[in-house]
Amino acid sequence: MARILVIEDDQRIRELVCQHLAGDGHTTTSESTGLDGLRAATADPPDVLILDLGLPDLEGLDLLKMVRSVTDVPVLVLTAREDELTILAAFEGGADDYVVKPVSGPQLSARVSALIRRGGADKADLLRVGGLEVRPGPREATLEGQVLDLTAKEFDVLAYLAARPGTVVRKEDLHAAVWKAPAGTEGRTIDVHLSTLRKKLGEKPDDEHRYLHTIIGAGVRLQAPED
Ligand code: CA
């Protein structure tokens, strides 16, 4: 379970979010102003930061950049603002996820869990799935000892999937994580990259002995063939 800091000026929402996440077993703390939030995030970085953009003292996007300058903590922006420019600016500013209020409890739980997994996974030195090895630090991937010649985005896609072996990852989540772009803008980009990645892994879609599995309507899964 994780330590979560909630920066939100609306007392009712702050309490609801904290209570809900505490119910999931997380430890929550909260601040109601941007400055206090920044102080708390800096003094003792949480595992996940939930950030409201409409704060009384600081512009939320500015606060996000300040937080980013001191810590890599996964940030989930939870806000009433739903205009495209703000969403793009938030991802540009370093947000890991963006949710427009109101959000359901189960969805909040799921998004926070995903950020916790990602935060932990990114710290890993080596991700191993069967004969596939991915090293996020030097950005190197090998299959059965052979170095894979991947583009930057292909590597990011593979690393993201390798951090979640056996899990069906939604294409929009993969796109949001790798391209830092909001859901709904993924288009064919993901499919094109999965297709080139599959070729570089030496796989065909109908191969039984393969790592990459596309689940129609659900997403994509990386799994060791013998699993
Ligand atoms: Ca607010």
Side-chain angles (χ1 to χ4, degrees), residues 122-127 133-142 147-148 150-152 155-156 159:
D122 287 351
K123 291 186 195 106
D125 298 332
L126 169 66
L127 304 165
E133 293 190 351
V134 180
R135 290 175 181 77
R139 298 181 61 80
E140 187 186 80
T142 58
V147 175
L148 295 169
L150 305 177
T151 65
F155 179 87
D156 290 342

Side-chain angles (χ1 to χ4, degrees), residues 8-10 52 54-55 101:
E8 164 69 72
D9 63 322
D10 184 314
D52 174 31
L55 294 166
K101 293 178 206 169

